[in-house]
Amino acid sequence: METLPDAIVQYILSNISNAKDVASCNCVSKSWNDSMPYLKALYFPRSLFDNLNDRCTADAIISHMVSSVVRLEHLVVYCPFTAAGLAYWLQQSGMSLRVLELRLDNILERPLSSESPSKVDCIGAAYNLECLRLWGVLMVSSPKWATFHRLKNLEIVGARMEDPALSSALQACPNLVSLSLLGCEGLKYVTIEMPYLKQCKLDFYGTGNCSLTVSAPNLEQLEVQGCSWIRVLYTQFLNNLCIANNSGRVYMVDFGKLEALETLSMRGVQWSWDAISKMLQMASEVKHLFMKVEFTGDFEALLPFPEIDLVDFFNSHPKLQTFDMHGALFAALCQKNSLKNVDSKFIIPCLEKVVISVRSPLNAEQKMNTLESLVKYATKLKKMSIRILQMKSSHSSADDFFEDIWRFKCINRGIISIE
């Protein structure tokens, strides 16, 4: 380093971000310390101040470092801090700050906190932000934010919210391109209206009965977990869709024609059959389909899938290339009349990979017929994986069924694998 020109040394040091490394470099020499104002980013890890003595506080150290930087663009604080400290840092660097990542850790606080303004309110001072990431957020009242005109990416992980507070926060971010709300609880009716939104990930924690409406003309990717009623107004660019509900039921989906959709994932314990059939009908152009729904039924009773005609299913999804189906859907394709329309003219033109999960030896003959039909009529099939999941039976039929699958694998060596 001693042989390098000062400008090169300054450039190298200005790209260090970890606060501990920055502090160590500042102690090396005066010239190294003089590079401090030119830092672009500061990162304060979670455990950085665990052994701090009583004479100094984390707020004071962070304040000193932030105020020493002329134009701070990226600030990450995972260690504990106060609202007063945050307010001071953003007062010092709010105009230049582009990326802000904070671990607030106030999700367990009572709604009426003694801090005024709250940590969430203080964020409004960084009005030029382009990316905001928050962890452990309590947002039961509307944040006191002006409009973040430049904010493109908003990510909130682990939050306790109420509907009006979230609505107010989203209204302050009208130009978002990417939105992630992960592990959020307390929400019942969520409406997202954003003209530029392209990627949206929503994970609502709780009973799984949230209602969601999305109005985003440029939406390309949508992942939803924990909603029972889902309505998306614009789908002309939607190419990747994942819907899951691990706690409740999916009763209603309304998407319109999904002409651009390439990947569809449907997961959950129970969906209404109307929602399943409507989703499959709308996704007729899909190329990659993942289906892991255990039961159907509109009410408390858990019902099996009704019979599905194999020919109708694949004729309705002619572009399907990858198909991953859990036991319930596979069983529906293996009923008495599922293969009645199969003839010599039938082909599955694009299917290349199939993953099938089998959980029961019941109706073994029909299941083997369906497996054989998939291999026979999928002219481009390269790989079929058969997963035997928790098959419980004291009857010899389970052993016989497994032997049939093993013989099927040996006949089609190179295509079939058993997991």
Side-chain angles (χ1 to χ4, degrees), residues 105-125:
D105 281 346
N106 63 345
I107 190 172
L108 299 178
E109 292 180 0
R110 290 175 296 179
L112 296 177
S113 174
S114 59
E115 291 186 317
S116 182
S118 68
K119 293 178 181 178
V120 174
D121 291 339
C122 293
I123 295 170

Side-chain angles (χ1 to χ4, degrees), residues 123-144:
I123 295 170
Y127 50 86
N128 284 326
L129 284 177
E130 297 174 3
C131 178
L132 175 61
R133 298 188 180 97
L134 305 174
W135 284 263
V137 182
L138 177 67
M139 192 185 291
V140 294
S141 58
S142 299
K144 298 175 182 178

Side-chain angles (χ1 to χ4, degrees), residues 284-350:
S284 60
E285 304 296 314
V286 71
K287 295 180 180 179
H288 310 283
L289 177 60
F290 183 94
M291 185 83 173
K292 188 180 179 181
V293 179
E294 302 283 351
F295 300 98
T296 184
D298 294 326
F299 303 102
E300 296 293 333
L302 300 175
L303 302 178
F305 283 23
E307 184 175 88
I308 298 176
D309 187 286
L310 184 138
V311 174
D312 287 346
F313 179 87
F314 284 102
N315 283 344
S316 300
H317 301 88
K319 297 181 181 180
L320 197 61
Q321 297 175 8
T322 304
F323 191 15
D324 190 329
M325 54 178 148
H326 205 254
L329 179 59
F330 179 60
L333 289 167
C334 298
Q335 297 302 308
K336 181 178 180 181
N337 296 315
S338 294
L339 302 176
K340 67 179 182 180
N341 294 320
V342 174
D343 56 32
S344 58
K345 297 180 181 180
F346 171 64
I347 63 168
I348 306 173
C350 298

Side-chain angles (χ1 to χ4, degrees), residues 156-161 180-187 203-206:
I156 299 177
V157 181
R160 183 152 56 100
M161 297 178 166
S180 296
L181 304 174
L182 308 178
C184 299
E185 61 177 314
L187 298 168
D203 178 9
F204 300 136
Y205 179 78

Side-chain angles (χ1 to χ4, degrees), residues 103-395:
R103 182 163 180 162
L104 301 180
D105 281 346
N106 63 345
I107 190 172
L108 299 178
E109 292 180 0
R110 290 175 296 179
L112 296 177
S113 174
S114 59
E115 291 186 317
S116 182
S118 68
K119 293 178 181 178
V120 174
D121 291 339
C122 293
I123 295 170
Y127 50 86
N128 284 326
L129 284 177
E130 297 174 3
C131 178
L132 175 61
R133 298 188 180 97
L134 305 174
W135 284 263
V137 182
L138 177 67
M139 192 185 291
V140 294
S141 58
S142 299
K144 298 175 182 178
W145 291 350
T147 303
F148 293 100
H149 291 287
R150 297 185 178 183
L151 193 65
K152 304 297 183 183
N153 183 5
L154 174 62
E155 181 175 337
I156 299 177
V157 181
R160 183 152 56 100
M161 297 178 166
E162 292 188 2
D163 296 342
L166 176 61
S167 177
S168 178
L170 295 180
Q171 288 175 11
C173 312
N175 299 318
L176 286 181
V177 174
S178 177
L179 171 65
S180 296
L181 304 174
L182 308 178
C184 299
E185 61 177 314
L187 298 168
K188 296 180 180 178
Y189 301 96
V190 177
T191 299
I192 298 173
E193 297 180 357
M194 293 184 174
Y196 306 107
L197 190 66
K198 292 184 177 182
Q199 292 89 33
C200 185
K201 295 182 180 181
L202 308 173
D203 178 9
F204 300 136
Y205 179 78
T207 57
N209 60 352
C210 186
S211 175
L212 172 67
T213 300
V214 179
S215 176
N218 291 291
L219 190 64
E220 297 176 358
Q221 299 180 23
L222 176 63
E223 297 182 21
V224 181
Q225 148 62 29
C227 289
S228 292
W229 296 270
I230 304 168
R231 187 184 184 206
V232 180
L233 301 182
Y234 303 99
T235 59
Q236 62 267 36
F237 299 117
L238 188 61
N239 58 50
N240 193 320
L241 174 62
C242 177
I243 302 175
N245 197 332
N246 299 327
S247 302
R249 302 173 182 85
V250 176
Y251 290 112
M252 188 277 290
V253 290
D254 183 6
F255 285 85
K257 187 66 174 177
L258 296 168
E259 296 179 350
L261 192 67
E262 295 188 357
T263 303
L264 172 62
S265 176
M266 302 166 63
R267 303 167 182 259
V269 176
Q270 184 180 14
W271 285 46
S272 74
W273 182 246
D274 181 67
I276 293 174
S277 57
K278 190 174 182 180
M279 197 74 250
L280 292 175
Q281 181 181 0
M282 292 185 293
S284 60
E285 304 296 314
V286 71
K287 295 180 180 179
H288 310 283
L289 177 60
F290 183 94
M291 185 83 173
K292 188 180 179 181
V293 179
E294 302 283 351
F295 300 98
T296 184
D298 294 326
F299 303 102
E300 296 293 333
L302 300 175
L303 302 178
F305 283 23
E307 184 175 88
I308 298 176
D309 187 286
L310 184 138
V311 174
D312 287 346
F313 179 87
F314 284 102
N315 283 344
S316 300
H317 301 88
K319 297 181 181 180
L320 197 61
Q321 297 175 8
T322 304
F323 191 15
D324 190 329
M325 54 178 148
H326 205 254
L329 179 59
F330 179 60
L333 289 167
C334 298
Q335 297 302 308
K336 181 178 180 181
N337 296 315
S338 294
L339 302 176
K340 67 179 182 180
N341 294 320
V342 174
D343 56 32
S344 58
K345 297 180 181 180
F346 171 64
I347 63 168
I348 306 173
C350 298
L351 192 64
E352 297 179 359
K353 181 180 179 181
V354 181
V355 179
I356 300 172
S357 300
V358 183
R359 301 187 66 173
S360 170
L362 298 178
N363 202 13
E365 182 179 354
Q366 284 298 120
K367 289 179 179 177
M368 291 306 305
N369 289 337
T370 299
L371 292 173
E372 292 168 0
S373 297
L374 289 173
V375 172
K376 180 178 180 180
Y377 296 106
T379 56
K380 294 184 179 179
L381 189 65
K382 298 177 181 178
K383 183 72 174 177
M384 176 185 285
S385 298
I386 303 174
R387 295 174 178 170
I388 311 298
L389 298 179
Q390 301 174 346
M391 188 178 292
K392 298 178 181 178
S393 176
S394 58
H395 196 269

